Amino acid sequence: MSLRSDKGVPTKMLPPWCVVLVLLLDLTLAQYEHLGYPPGYPDPEQEQYSAPQLRPDTPRIQLRLSGDKRKHNEGRVEVYYNNEWGTVCDDDFNSHSAQVVCRELGYLEAVSWAPASKYGKGTGPIWFDNLHCTGKEKTLALCPSNGIGVSDCKHTEDVGVVCSDKRIPGFRFINTLPNHVENMDIQVEDVRIRAILSSYRKRIPMTEGYVEVKDGGKWKQICNTEWSPLNARVICGMFGFPGERKYNARVYKMFARRRKPSYWDYAVNCTGNEAHLSSCKLGQVSPLKSNVTCGGGLPVVVSCVPGRDFAPTPMTGFRKAFRQEQPLVRLRGGANVGEGRVEVLKNGEWGTICDDHWSLMSATVVCRELGLGTAKEALSGGRLGQGMGPVHMNEVQCSGFEKSITECLFNKESAGCSHEEDAAVRCNVPAMGFQQSLRLSGGRNPFEGRVEVLMERNGSLVWGTVCSEGWGTMEAMVVCRTLGLGFASNAFQETWYWPGDVSADSVVMSGVRCSGTEMSLNHCLHHGAHLSCSKGGGRNAAGVSCSETAPDLVLNPQAVEQTTYMEDRPMFMMQCAQEEGCLSSSSSLTPATSYRRLLRFSSRIHNNGQSDFRPKAGRNSWVWHDCHRHYHSMEVFTLYDLFTLNGTKVAEGHKASFCLEDSECDEGIEKRYECANFGEQGITVGCWDTYRHDIDCQWIDITDIKPGDYIFQIVINPNYEVPESDYSNNIMKCRCRYDGHRVWMYSCHNGGSLSTETEETFPGLLNNQVTHR
């Protein structure tokens, strides 16, 4: 066996002096590893999660962390097997076993483990006892043990683990538990709705047709003899539809006579609240006759009702005529349609749901309520970002048939629940096919490239580029969402470094303007057949890079309320501020011996997202301000405005990013960004940047303002320079009263935190979903 150095060179084959040289080189390079890579150098690729490939005979289990008050990354180890949740005994359990548990749950590593039911006693079977893991197993089911369900333990010996905060990049929680009937697994992707009638074949989304199951490489129909509407409800939910409806059976009878169906061997028995067909029980083997018909029955047909956002022919006239009622539930912080943190409206205020007992069934109620299908995933631990405000619901338990999540049983006491435990969902949405007319070309990986769209030109479909004039973050967000690639991390107006398809160099779309919420570029405003693009396509075409995570900045309203005061400041002390344009225009006529009246306050900006907030501009383009003795990394970071009660702006201010850094962090999170000595700038996830009231430009000049009642407004990241997972909460408003001598700030709140009716009493922007270009 030949030894190898870290560089992969076989040392046994080399002369002794070469071996010494290689070892010296390794030691020399190692001393510089802590310095990292120079600015602008591409970061080393992170390990990306890929689902483990397990042998067919591997027992299928799922894990979760449960128990008494805990963080999302710790708890009692519970195992789902044989349709029942159980626990793991602490006998012989060690750090290697904990490592397998944590990695199977999507965490990078285990930190520690705890015996003797530290997180409370569980219930049900004790599925594993005397585990002897090496730490490298792909699932706990592959570790040697007494055998599944073989144990002499009690629940006082239930084991718990503490996993690292960091997750494996790209990890996905997916319910892969299949049925096992004669060694045949039914997966969701092995089922389809096939349109039979010509009127449904061209519809988007496709809502009606035969239910077919792939068996032995062939698509087969299901006999409708034992079929029920509850089964149809599950099928529709799988394909993104909230419910089922009746169909014209006579037409399908005629069709079945003309073409002989090929039937599957099994019946299906669903209760109606399952998230997908693989959770239903299989019925008896269908008694097929010799002529391969099914006892006088016909092939199963389903007809599904699409949600309002996916209806093939929306009645826009009626939408305008009748005001939509505000929903009681919404999703926030998700990259794609039908996913996000679950928020519910209670007493006029939006709040979150604690993830205790959060299940796929409860998540499915949320999805159907929103006009979507069943839930693909029920996410816990603030996995799609942390919310603000109250936690309205805890320990939610649904039957699966509720019209709203607010009808489900829940514990009204959410004591001890923090936003680290916010529940989230990913729903099934109808296949709209938008991604088939959009692609990224020339990038180094699937997450980046020149944007190319399929458009009709001169009667034929051709691929071409998008004009980059005015191309920005919102347009890039739509591209990344359509392709299922998450959030935009960058929007590029030049793509000369990405050699796209030469045949697609011509511009086929220009004048694109998106709000950021569209499902397709075609839904955005854009020029029609008459294109206008002075730059042309090719190297000047629009491009994007996408990311699975994004930051989310949220202002602390209480900090503004508690720190507001008024100061009369002499002009000679505000030379820097005047250079920055932080005073009203009338200040230029003010003598140096006079003063300006300033409305001052502190702002505390928290990063609640899933990745760090970094300035768009690289260090090489940061601007040194000699007056302030620091670098600016963003031209405008926040806007401050004062409105009258009828919405007229009477005063304004702005704040350049004097310095983005971690002022303080949540417990257990280390600061990463510091401005001193030309340091890296940014805000770490779980940290906040505090701009104190006594910092230059942290004010609005109200010298010319008359006493009265006003609306005070702050907008963070107003020009969308840095992509975020949620822009609606980048705005904060307060009521402000000024009597000529004192000033009060009250009723401060973030955008989107209150009901629409309450928000409309505050003039100004309703949220940050407007274009400031």
PDB file of all heavy atoms in Angstrom, residues 2-5 7-23:
ATOM      1  N   SER A   2       0.713   2.138  -0.979  1.00  0.00           N
ATOM      2  CA  SER A   2       1.542   3.335  -1.075  1.00  0.00           C
ATOM      3  C   SER A   2       0.909   4.475  -0.304  1.00  0.00           C
ATOM      4  O   SER A   2      -0.287   4.703  -0.380  1.00  0.00           O
ATOM      5  CB  SER A   2       1.718   3.743  -2.539  1.00  0.00           C
ATOM      6  OG  SER A   2       0.487   4.122  -3.095  1.00  0.00           O
ATOM      7  N   LEU A   3       1.751   5.174   0.460  1.00  0.00           N
ATOM      8  CA  LEU A   3       1.268   6.325   1.208  1.00  0.00           C
ATOM      9  C   LEU A   3       1.067   7.498   0.273  1.00  0.00           C
ATOM     10  O   LEU A   3       1.737   7.629  -0.739  1.00  0.00           O
ATOM     11  CB  LEU A   3       2.285   6.700   2.300  1.00  0.00           C
ATOM     12  CG  LEU A   3       2.558   5.614   3.356  1.00  0.00           C
ATOM     13  CD1 LEU A   3       3.699   6.046   4.249  1.00  0.00           C
ATOM     14  CD2 LEU A   3       1.307   5.360   4.166  1.00  0.00           C
ATOM     15  N   ARG A   4       0.179   8.426   0.635  1.00  0.00           N
ATOM     16  CA  ARG A   4      -0.049   9.620  -0.171  1.00  0.00           C
ATOM     17  C   ARG A   4       0.035  10.853   0.732  1.00  0.00           C
ATOM     18  O   ARG A   4      -0.419  10.842   1.855  1.00  0.00           O
ATOM     19  CB  ARG A   4      -1.430   9.587  -0.853  1.00  0.00           C
ATOM     20  CG  ARG A   4      -1.487   8.615  -1.994  1.00  0.00           C
ATOM     21  CD  ARG A   4      -2.817   8.687  -2.714  1.00  0.00           C
ATOM     22  NE  ARG A   4      -2.812   7.805  -3.875  1.00  0.00           N
ATOM     23  CZ  ARG A   4      -2.415   8.163  -5.086  1.00  0.00           C
ATOM     24  NH1 ARG A   4      -1.990   9.384  -5.292  1.00  0.00           N
ATOM     25  NH2 ARG A   4      -2.428   7.317  -6.085  1.00  0.00           N
ATOM     26  N   SER A   5       0.599  11.927   0.182  1.00  0.00           N
ATOM     27  CA  SER A   5       0.577  13.198   0.891  1.00  0.00           C
ATOM     28  C   SER A   5      -0.786  13.851   0.672  1.00  0.00           C
ATOM     29  O   SER A   5      -1.591  13.362  -0.111  1.00  0.00           O
ATOM     30  CB  SER A   5       1.680  14.116   0.360  1.00  0.00           C
ATOM     31  OG  SER A   5       1.325  14.588  -0.927  1.00  0.00           O
ATOM     32  N   LYS A   7      -1.462  16.331  -1.047  1.00  0.00           N
ATOM     33  CA  LYS A   7      -1.611  16.777  -2.430  1.00  0.00           C
ATOM     34  C   LYS A   7      -1.884  15.622  -3.375  1.00  0.00           C
ATOM     35  O   LYS A   7      -1.971  15.806  -4.573  1.00  0.00           O
ATOM     36  CB  LYS A   7      -0.354  17.520  -2.892  1.00  0.00           C
ATOM     37  CG  LYS A   7      -0.056  18.768  -2.077  1.00  0.00           C
ATOM     38  CD  LYS A   7      -1.141  19.787  -2.218  1.00  0.00           C
ATOM     39  CE  LYS A   7      -0.887  21.006  -1.350  1.00  0.00           C
ATOM     40  NZ  LYS A   7      -1.990  21.944  -1.363  1.00  0.00           N
ATOM     41  N   GLY A   8      -1.926  14.415  -2.827  1.00  0.00           N
ATOM     42  CA  GLY A   8      -2.246  13.275  -3.677  1.00  0.00           C
ATOM     43  C   GLY A   8      -1.040  12.676  -4.375  1.00  0.00           C
ATOM     44  O   GLY A   8      -1.163  11.885  -5.285  1.00  0.00           O
ATOM     45  N   VAL A   9       0.186  13.026  -3.966  1.00  0.00           N
ATOM     46  CA  VAL A   9       1.392  12.485  -4.616  1.00  0.00           C
ATOM     47  C   VAL A   9       1.823  11.221  -3.902  1.00  0.00           C
ATOM     48  O   VAL A   9       1.983  11.215  -2.685  1.00  0.00           O
ATOM     49  CB  VAL A   9       2.536  13.528  -4.563  1.00  0.00           C
ATOM     50  CG1 VAL A   9       3.745  13.002  -5.259  1.00  0.00           C
ATOM     51  CG2 VAL A   9       2.068  14.837  -5.167  1.00  0.00           C
ATOM     52  N   PRO A  10       2.006  10.084  -4.600  1.00  0.00           N
ATOM     53  CA  PRO A  10       2.439   8.851  -3.937  1.00  0.00           C
ATOM     54  C   PRO A  10       3.850   9.016  -3.382  1.00  0.00           C
ATOM     55  O   PRO A  10       4.806   9.089  -4.153  1.00  0.00           O
ATOM     56  CB  PRO A  10       2.379   7.797  -5.039  1.00  0.00           C
ATOM     57  CG  PRO A  10       1.805   8.461  -6.231  1.00  0.00           C
ATOM     58  CD  PRO A  10       1.848   9.916  -6.026  1.00  0.00           C
ATOM     59  N   THR A  11       4.012   9.085  -2.064  1.00  0.00           N
ATOM     60  CA  THR A  11       5.311   9.364  -1.473  1.00  0.00           C
ATOM     61  C   THR A  11       6.262   8.183  -1.560  1.00  0.00           C
ATOM     62  O   THR A  11       7.463   8.362  -1.575  1.00  0.00           O
ATOM     63  CB  THR A  11       5.134   9.762  -0.003  1.00  0.00           C
ATOM     64  OG1 THR A  11       4.404   8.751   0.669  1.00  0.00           O
ATOM     65  CG2 THR A  11       4.352  11.064   0.103  1.00  0.00           C
ATOM     66  N   LYS A  12       5.739   6.982  -1.653  1.00  0.00           N
ATOM     67  CA  LYS A  12       6.601   5.814  -1.699  1.00  0.00           C
ATOM     68  C   LYS A  12       7.388   5.758  -2.996  1.00  0.00           C
ATOM     69  O   LYS A  12       8.473   5.211  -3.059  1.00  0.00           O
ATOM     70  CB  LYS A  12       5.753   4.545  -1.523  1.00  0.00           C
ATOM     71  CG  LYS A  12       6.577   3.278  -1.333  1.00  0.00           C
ATOM     72  CD  LYS A  12       5.668   2.106  -1.035  1.00  0.00           C
ATOM     73  CE  LYS A  12       6.497   0.840  -0.832  1.00  0.00           C
ATOM     74  NZ  LYS A  12       5.656  -0.313  -0.551  1.00  0.00           N
ATOM     75  N   MET A  13       6.837   6.354  -4.057  1.00  0.00           N
ATOM     76  CA  MET A  13       7.458   6.314  -5.366  1.00  0.00           C
ATOM     77  C   MET A  13       8.509   7.414  -5.529  1.00  0.00           C
ATOM     78  O   MET A  13       9.253   7.441  -6.493  1.00  0.00           O
ATOM     79  CB  MET A  13       6.394   6.490  -6.454  1.00  0.00           C
ATOM     80  CG  MET A  13       5.183   5.567  -6.312  1.00  0.00           C
ATOM     81  SD  MET A  13       5.600   3.855  -6.615  1.00  0.00           S
ATOM     82  CE  MET A  13       5.911   3.918  -8.392  1.00  0.00           C
ATOM     83  N   LEU A  14       8.579   8.423  -4.591  1.00  0.00           N
ATOM     84  CA  LEU A  14       9.477   9.563  -4.732  1.00  0.00           C
ATOM     85  C   LEU A  14      10.788   9.326  -3.994  1.00  0.00           C
ATOM     86  O   LEU A  14      10.843   8.612  -2.996  1.00  0.00           O
ATOM     87  CB  LEU A  14       8.816  10.817  -4.167  1.00  0.00           C
ATOM     88  CG  LEU A  14       7.547  11.294  -4.871  1.00  0.00           C
ATOM     89  CD1 LEU A  14       6.940  12.446  -4.074  1.00  0.00           C
ATOM     90  CD2 LEU A  14       7.860  11.756  -6.284  1.00  0.00           C
ATOM     91  N   PRO A  15      11.896   9.977  -4.477  1.00  0.00           N
ATOM     92  CA  PRO A  15      13.163   9.943  -3.725  1.00  0.00           C
ATOM     93  C   PRO A  15      12.986  10.641  -2.381  1.00  0.00           C
ATOM     94  O   PRO A  15      12.111  11.493  -2.236  1.00  0.00           O
ATOM     95  CB  PRO A  15      14.127  10.729  -4.636  1.00  0.00           C
ATOM     96  CG  PRO A  15      13.473  10.836  -5.949  1.00  0.00           C
ATOM     97  CD  PRO A  15      12.009  10.684  -5.739  1.00  0.00           C
ATOM     98  N   PRO A  16      13.835  10.336  -1.400  1.00  0.00           N
ATOM     99  CA  PRO A  16      13.683  10.929  -0.062  1.00  0.00           C
ATOM    100  C   PRO A  16      13.678  12.452  -0.077  1.00  0.00           C
ATOM    101  O   PRO A  16      12.918  13.091   0.639  1.00  0.00           O
ATOM    102  CB  PRO A  16      14.872  10.366   0.723  1.00  0.00           C
ATOM    103  CG  PRO A  16      15.217   9.097   0.010  1.00  0.00           C
ATOM    104  CD  PRO A  16      14.889   9.319  -1.427  1.00  0.00           C
ATOM    105  N   TRP A  17      14.563  13.084  -0.920  1.00  0.00           N
ATOM    106  CA  TRP A  17      14.621  14.549  -0.918  1.00  0.00           C
ATOM    107  C   TRP A  17      13.319  15.168  -1.425  1.00  0.00           C
ATOM    108  O   TRP A  17      12.923  16.240  -0.994  1.00  0.00           O
ATOM    109  CB  TRP A  17      15.814  15.051  -1.755  1.00  0.00           C
ATOM    110  CG  TRP A  17      15.714  14.740  -3.233  1.00  0.00           C
ATOM    111  CD1 TRP A  17      16.163  13.640  -3.875  1.00  0.00           C
ATOM    112  CD2 TRP A  17      15.107  15.572  -4.229  1.00  0.00           C
ATOM    113  NE1 TRP A  17      15.883  13.690  -5.215  1.00  0.00           N
ATOM    114  CE2 TRP A  17      15.243  14.878  -5.470  1.00  0.00           C
ATOM    115  CE3 TRP A  17      14.478  16.820  -4.214  1.00  0.00           C
ATOM    116  CZ2 TRP A  17      14.758  15.395  -6.652  1.00  0.00           C
ATOM    117  CZ3 TRP A  17      14.007  17.325  -5.395  1.00  0.00           C
ATOM    118  CH2 TRP A  17      14.153  16.619  -6.612  1.00  0.00           C
ATOM    119  N   CYS A  18      12.591  14.438  -2.333  1.00  0.00           N
ATOM    120  CA  CYS A  18      11.304  14.947  -2.826  1.00  0.00           C
ATOM    121  C   CYS A  18      10.240  14.882  -1.746  1.00  0.00           C
ATOM    122  O   CYS A  18       9.384  15.772  -1.635  1.00  0.00           O
ATOM    123  CB  CYS A  18      10.852  14.142  -4.050  1.00  0.00           C
ATOM    124  SG  CYS A  18      11.704  14.638  -5.551  1.00  0.00           S
ATOM    125  N   VAL A  19      10.282  13.799  -0.963  1.00  0.00           N
ATOM    126  CA  VAL A  19       9.309  13.652   0.115  1.00  0.00           C
ATOM    127  C   VAL A  19       9.459  14.797   1.109  1.00  0.00           C
ATOM    128  O   VAL A  19       8.492  15.425   1.541  1.00  0.00           O
ATOM    129  CB  VAL A  19       9.475  12.295   0.833  1.00  0.00           C
ATOM    130  CG1 VAL A  19       8.543  12.212   2.037  1.00  0.00           C
ATOM    131  CG2 VAL A  19       9.222  11.149  -0.138  1.00  0.00           C
ATOM    132  N   VAL A  20      10.721  15.105   1.478  1.00  0.00           N
ATOM    133  CA  VAL A  20      10.985  16.205   2.403  1.00  0.00           C
ATOM    134  C   VAL A  20      10.482  17.518   1.827  1.00  0.00           C
ATOM    135  O   VAL A  20       9.859  18.339   2.502  1.00  0.00           O
ATOM    136  CB  VAL A  20      12.491  16.295   2.723  1.00  0.00           C
ATOM    137  CG1 VAL A  20      12.780  17.553   3.561  1.00  0.00           C
ATOM    138  CG2 VAL A  20      12.947  15.055   3.465  1.00  0.00           C
ATOM    139  N   LEU A  21      10.701  17.727   0.508  1.00  0.00           N
ATOM    140  CA  LEU A  21      10.276  18.970  -0.146  1.00  0.00           C
ATOM    141  C   LEU A  21       8.756  19.119  -0.123  1.00  0.00           C
ATOM    142  O   LEU A  21       8.220  20.201   0.139  1.00  0.00           O
ATOM    143  CB  LEU A  21      10.789  18.989  -1.590  1.00  0.00           C
ATOM    144  CG  LEU A  21      10.597  20.301  -2.359  1.00  0.00           C
ATOM    145  CD1 LEU A  21      11.349  21.420  -1.648  1.00  0.00           C
ATOM    146  CD2 LEU A  21      11.093  20.175  -3.787  1.00  0.00           C
ATOM    147  N   VAL A  22       8.035  18.016  -0.404  1.00  0.00           N
ATOM    148  CA  VAL A  22       6.566  18.047  -0.401  1.00  0.00           C
ATOM    149  C   VAL A  22       6.043  18.374   0.996  1.00  0.00           C
ATOM    150  O   VAL A  22       5.130  19.193   1.180  1.00  0.00           O
ATOM    151  CB  VAL A  22       5.986  16.702  -0.884  1.00  0.00           C
ATOM    152  CG1 VAL A  22       4.496  16.632  -0.598  1.00  0.00           C
ATOM    153  CG2 VAL A  22       6.253  16.511  -2.371  1.00  0.00           C
ATOM    154  N   LEU A  23       6.632  17.749   2.037  1.00  0.00           N
ATOM    155  CA  LEU A  23       6.191  18.014   3.407  1.00  0.00           C
ATOM    156  C   LEU A  23       6.456  19.454   3.813  1.00  0.00           C
ATOM    157  O   LEU A  23       5.640  20.105   4.463  1.00  0.00           O
ATOM    158  CB  LEU A  23       6.888  17.056   4.383  1.00  0.00           C
ATOM    159  CG  LEU A  23       6.495  15.568   4.261  1.00  0.00           C
ATOM    160  CD1 LEU A  23       7.364  14.707   5.167  1.00  0.00           C
ATOM    161  CD2 LEU A  23       5.025  15.381   4.601  1.00  0.00           C
TER     162      LEU A  23
END
